[in-house]
Amino acid sequence: MFNYVVRRLLLLIPIMFFVSVLIFGISRLAPGDPVLIMVGGHQTTPEVLENIRVKYHLNEPVWTQYGYWLKDALGGNLGESFKMKQSVTGMIKERLPLTLQLVVMSTIMTLILAIPLGIMSAIKKQTWVDYTASLFALAGVSSPVFFTGVLMVLLFSFKLNWLPAFGAGTGFVDNLVHLLLPSFALAVNMIALSSRITRTGMIDVLNTNYMQTAIAKGLPRHIIILKHGLRNALIPLLTVTGLQVGFLMVGTVLVEYTFGLGGLGSLIINGVQTSDYPVVQGTTLFMVIVFLVLNLLVDVLYAVIDPRIRYQ
């Protein structure tokens, strides 16, 4: 196991290099001159503009700029925001807790709703319960995150006035209440997909010989399903959940913008709108690293859930 983890970590090096080049190049495609944005539209001289370009290496070739950025990034310095004049690393640390809250709440909602829904669909296969769950899954998978968010704001905030539409709130309880809608909007796709994966896995497990033997022995149904069946059906669900948690980090970009939250997603959008290269590059790179690390953790957890799996 240790050797496998080491090999996977070494494999991340070329992947991260390629991703960093891609992020750096795409960020340069954003329209607008970052120097003009930095001066805020104020009247200034060409000399001042040139000094700003020299300070941030914007007067040098793109590959030279990349070299400066990569060198600083390897040392943990993701640069300084053109617009805010703050450390990008510090801005990420400041906004990360809100994004993590959003992702954690969405994941908890997914596990609480998707697993029971998938189990019920498998047990009640080809009944109205299964058909209703399938319809929900189809609608959930097909609905974009931002569209789901807008519908929830219109229904639960403006129509029913049950939950706040925007902001993160103040205080623990108020914060949780404000994050309910955005968390659920972010989780809908994941709930739909995970419930179907659970259903498929449970149906396959229920048809195995050892499950039929457990049923023939007269074991309680809840023990058969939860102890013998669910654990063996968790491996495909773990794969999907691990990948989806990574995608949740990406989905927060749209959700935070829709609900007016100040997390990493809104930080990226603000960076794109103002051609703030360091913010876009640093925050995107951080999210990619989180996604890759989560994939590695999922692979390691396979062996924990299923002892039959061993990595050489």
Side-chain angles (χ1 to χ4, degrees), residues 21-296:
V21 172
L22 195 62
I23 292 172
F24 190 88
I26 291 178
S27 66
R28 291 306 191 270
L29 298 178
D33 187 346
V35 176
L36 296 179
I37 294 175
M38 274 187 269
V39 298
H42 298 294
Q43 198 73 17
T44 186
T45 63
E47 290 77 13
V48 172
L49 296 178
E50 183 61 25
N51 289 336
I52 295 175
R53 288 191 172 90
V54 170
K55 177 182 178 181
Y56 292 101
H57 308 292
L58 296 174
N59 62 325
E60 300 187 41
V62 174
W63 52 87
T64 305
Q65 297 178 40
Y66 172 76
Y68 284 119
W69 177 67
L70 181 62
K71 179 182 176 182
D72 291 339
L74 291 175
N77 177 18
L78 297 176
E80 179 184 273
S81 168
F82 291 162
K83 186 72 175 177
M84 305 300 295
K85 307 300 181 185
Q86 297 177 15
S87 165
V88 174
T89 305
M91 296 173 72
I92 291 175
K93 290 180 180 178
E94 180 183 347
R95 293 173 177 250
L96 179 60
L98 180 61
T99 298
L100 286 180
Q101 279 183 279
L102 202 58
V103 171
V104 170
M105 287 183 65
S106 298
T107 305
I108 292 174
M109 287 181 180
T110 298
L111 297 178
I112 290 176
L113 297 175
I115 293 178
L117 190 61
I119 293 175
M120 287 299 298
S121 296
I123 297 173
K124 304 291 185 180
K125 186 175 67 170
Q126 295 182 347
T127 65
W128 69 269
V129 175
D130 187 24
Y131 295 143
T132 303
S134 299
L135 184 62
F136 167 77
L138 178 62
V141 170
S142 304
S143 177
V145 174
F146 67 90
F147 180 71
T148 304
V150 171
L151 288 182
M152 288 184 176
V153 168
L154 293 175
L155 177 60
F156 294 105
S157 296
F158 295 143
K159 184 70 175 179
L160 300 176
N161 198 27
W162 287 355
L163 294 169
F166 304 105
T170 56
F172 180 75
V173 176
D174 192 36
N175 178 245
L176 290 180
V177 172
H178 275 77
L179 291 183
L180 281 177
L181 269 187
S183 297
F184 189 69
L186 190 60
V188 166
N189 290 68
M190 193 172 173
I191 293 171
L193 181 59
S194 297
S195 66
R196 304 314 291 169
I197 295 295
T198 303
R199 175 188 181 275
T200 302
M202 284 299 300
I203 289 176
D204 291 340
V205 170
L206 289 173
N207 290 328
T208 58
N209 292 332
Y210 69 87
M211 290 294 288
Q212 296 299 323
T213 301
I215 295 173
K217 287 182 177 180
L219 292 176
R221 190 169 180 82
H222 68 278
I223 293 180
I224 295 174
I225 293 172
L226 298 179
K227 184 177 180 180
H228 299 287
L230 183 59
R231 182 173 181 178
N232 289 282
L234 277 181
I235 291 180
L237 177 63
L238 177 64
T239 304
V240 173
T241 303
L243 293 174
Q244 287 286 25
V245 169
F247 285 118
L248 286 181
M249 294 290 293
V250 180
T252 56
V253 175
L254 296 175
V255 170
E256 289 177 10
Y257 186 76
T258 303
F259 289 90
L261 301 174
L264 294 181
S266 61
L267 185 62
I268 290 180
I269 291 179
N270 291 335
V272 172
Q273 291 175 338
T274 59
S275 296
D276 200 337
Y277 298 157
V279 169
V280 176
Q281 294 162 184
T283 310
T284 306
L285 182 65
F286 175 78
M287 286 187 165
V288 171
I289 292 174
V290 171
F291 181 80
L292 293 174
V293 170
L294 284 173
N295 283 344
L296 176 59

